[in-house]
Amino acid sequence: MIEHHLDDEMLLRYSAGTLPEGWGVAVATHLALCPSCRAKLGVFESVGGYFLDRETAANDDQSDAWSKVHARIEAGEIDKVVAIRREGSTDTTYPEPLRSYIANTGGLKWRRMGGGAAQMIIPTSDPTTTVRLLKIPAGQPVPEHSHAGTELTLVLEGSFSDAVSTFGRGDIEMADSDLMHQPRASEDRDCICLAVTDAPLRFKSRFMRWLQPILGI
Ligand SMILES: [Zn+2]
């Protein structure tokens, strides 16, 4: 059961085609796993174009735009919400479109990061983000860090916990510069995540900061 979903603003930007590709890979992968966000996307797609043309032009705050759309739906001004258009593929660790991104780079190639952790950079044409797969060994922590920008983490296999919550397959955690956290994989199995960042992480340990350019994180 997915408990941590996409935020409305990101989903709205995805449906409007204005979300940079790096975030889009994670959004689309979450959508493949999450019927509830697919249903919400259906709402955006049916009313979003109409609405964005008329109101976002005057008001750039898209989360505000969504609350207005939502109010109209609640008030019955906008007709019944839309059926889910496409089914997600939930049977593999790497659902589409992520699977194709991995295939396009020649398949899974993990690169060791130390402490048993490994990563694989997923190339995209978006220069504003870095997209990577992370594998954290069962029971192990990721080095404690905060964020200069935003970090989106989507769990694909296993689970991890930090001070905020526990995140399982399909769950999304959004972290920004206010959060110093140390995610730890659950004891029972390795945790595989898709992580998107728009700025380098800020590690607490001097050693990790020294390693950053070498690891490309
Ligand atoms: Zn969701």
Side-chain angles (χ1 to χ4, degrees):
M1 184 74 185
I2 295 176
E3 289 178 12
H4 302 277
H5 296 274
L6 294 164
D7 68 47
D8 287 338
E9 184 184 345
M10 196 165 263
L11 198 54
L12 185 60
R13 290 178 67 196
Y14 178 82
S15 80
T18 59
L19 192 65
E21 183 188 358
W23 306 111
V25 176
V27 169
T29 305
H30 176 82
L31 286 167
L33 298 170
C34 182
S36 111
C37 284
R38 286 202 299 278
K40 197 184 261 186
L41 180 68
V43 179
F44 286 137
E45 288 181 336
S46 63
V47 299
Y50 166 87
F51 184 81
L52 285 171
D53 285 351
R54 281 161 184 74
E55 306 215 14
T56 311
N59 178 359
D60 230 6
D61 182 345
Q62 292 178 321
S63 51
D64 186 42
W66 163 241
S67 22
K68 287 186 191 164
V69 171
H70 193 74
R72 287 183 175 188
I73 294 169
E74 294 286 302
E77 287 175 33
I78 291 171
D79 279 345
K80 267 274 153 192
V81 181
V82 203
I84 296 165
R85 224 181 29 179
R86 48 187 172 269
E87 286 304 310
S89 53
T90 57
D91 51 337
T92 73
T93 299
Y94 308 99
E96 291 292 0
L98 182 56
R99 197 184 328 176
S100 294
Y101 274 91
I102 295 169
N104 289 343
T105 67
L108 273 179
K109 287 188 194 110
W110 293 106
R111 189 175 158 195
R112 277 189 217 156
M113 299 170 69
Q119 70 165 345
M120 175 186 169
I121 302 286
I122 308 278
T124 73
S125 56
D126 171 16
T128 65
T129 55
T130 302
V131 180
R132 61 167 61 82
L133 291 169
L134 283 173
K135 185 168 12 179
I136 312 162
Q140 294 298 304
V142 168
E144 189 172 20
H145 61 274
S146 63
H147 314 87
T150 303
E151 178 187 43
L152 181 161
T153 307
L154 166 65
V155 179
L156 298 166
E157 201 171 280
S159 63
F160 73 82
S161 300
D162 63 15
V164 177
S165 189
T166 295
F167 299 84
R169 175 165 162 83
D171 280 334
I172 284 195
E173 180 175 40
M174 296 291 296
D176 62 19
S177 51
D178 295 334
L179 179 69
M180 167 70 78
H181 70 161
Q182 184 163 37
R184 179 182 289 273
S186 61
E187 299 289 338
D188 53 326
R189 62 192 300 188
D190 293 352
C191 181
I192 296 175
C193 299
L194 179 69
V196 184
T197 47
D198 59 5
L201 303 182
R202 288 178 180 149
F203 287 99
K204 203 172 177 184
S205 116
R206 188 183 296 172
F207 179 64
M208 281 307 299
R209 291 201 298 274
W210 178 79
L211 272 180
Q212 270 188 296
I214 300 168
L215 297 173
I217 55 179

